[in-house]
């Protein structure tokens, strides 16, 4: 079977949490739960680094506005990780050119990263931090569940990942439209208040050419 569904799913997951993807694949390979995991993902130093960075992301991803800064830094890292993981999976399988797999994994990771980053920016407008924590936990659990499912049922997992990606893009477009409308209305209200203040100003009501009385 072609490795393309697994590459697509890993790319989608990498756009949300690349370190979790590397860590999960590595653990599956080391424990023998998956036979097609590249040896480079099973190395001890890779697993330790992925684990430490995963813990850092688990903390930063749940703090309002810190999560958006973290997402900005990972705009390049996550697509690269998706491309590298995809190329490694293709090289291990031999059923798909590594360059094509890297392109699929990287582009899918970039799209899912935009969905995550845009959704977080919208959530950060809420004054309470609980929505950030809930969304972050849902993302972590979702990545873990779908990557695990993809190891045993790659095609079904790819379908789920595709549906989630398309849904996320639709939600992101809806939120962007709502935010633009909100900013437009707020700008109009500010302009109306400015004009009302100017009309009530004494200088605006004074007759032109008025003289002062001694």
């Amino acid at each position: 079977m072609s490795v393309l569904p697994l590459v697509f799913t890993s790319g989608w997951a990498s756009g949300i949490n690349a370190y979790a993807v590397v860590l999960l694949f590595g653990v599956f390979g080391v424990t023998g739960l998956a036979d097609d995991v590249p040896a480079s993902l099973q190395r001890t130093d890779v697993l330790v680094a992925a684990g430490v960075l995963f813990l850092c992301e688990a903390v930063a991803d749940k703090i309002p506005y810190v999560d958006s800064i973290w997402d900005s830094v990972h705009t390049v890292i996550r697509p690269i990780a998706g491309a590298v993981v995809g190329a490694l999976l293709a090289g291990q399988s031999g059923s798909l050119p590594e360059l094509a797999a890297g392109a699929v994994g990287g582009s899918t990771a970039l799209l899912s990263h935009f969905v995550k980053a845009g959704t977080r920016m919208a959530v950060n407008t809420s004054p309470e931090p609980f929505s950030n924590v809930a969304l972050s936990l849902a993302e972590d659990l979702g990545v873990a569940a779908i990557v695990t499912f993809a190891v045993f049922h790659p095609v079904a997992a790819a379908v789920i990942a595709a549906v989630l990606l398309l849904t996320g893009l639709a939600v992101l477009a809806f939120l962007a439209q709502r935010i633009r409308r909100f900013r437009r209305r707020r700008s109009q209200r500010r302009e109306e208040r400015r004009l009302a203040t100017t009309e009530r100003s004494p200088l605006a009501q004074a007759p032109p050419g008025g003289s002062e009385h001694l």
Side-chain angles (χ1 to χ4, degrees), residues 1-7 36 87 89-98 100-101:
M1 182 180 294
S2 174
V3 76
L4 181 59
L6 186 59
V7 169
D36 297 330
L89 291 173
Q92 182 75 12
S93 172
S95 61
L96 182 70
E98 295 181 19

Side-chain angles (χ1 to χ4, degrees), residues 114-126 131 135 139 166-185:
F114 282 149
V115 170
K116 173 177 179 173
T119 304
R120 287 307 182 86
M121 290 179 64
V123 170
N124 281 335
T125 59
S126 175
S131 54
L135 187 58
E139 290 170 351
L166 293 175
T167 303
L169 291 172
V171 171
L172 185 61
F174 173 76
L175 291 176
Q177 185 179 22
R178 292 292 298 271
I179 290 173
R180 283 196 299 268
R181 289 180 180 177
F182 171 76
R183 289 180 176 176
R184 190 182 304 115
R185 289 196 299 266

Side-chain angles (χ1 to χ4, degrees), residues 70-117:
W70 184 269
D71 287 338
S72 298
V73 174
H74 285 74
T75 301
V76 176
I77 296 175
R78 286 169 182 160
I80 291 177
V84 170
V85 171
L88 290 174
L89 291 173
Q92 182 75 12
S93 172
S95 61
L96 182 70
E98 295 181 19
L99 183 60
V104 172
S107 58
T108 306
L110 182 62
L111 289 175
S112 62
H113 165 76
F114 282 149
V115 170
K116 173 177 179 173

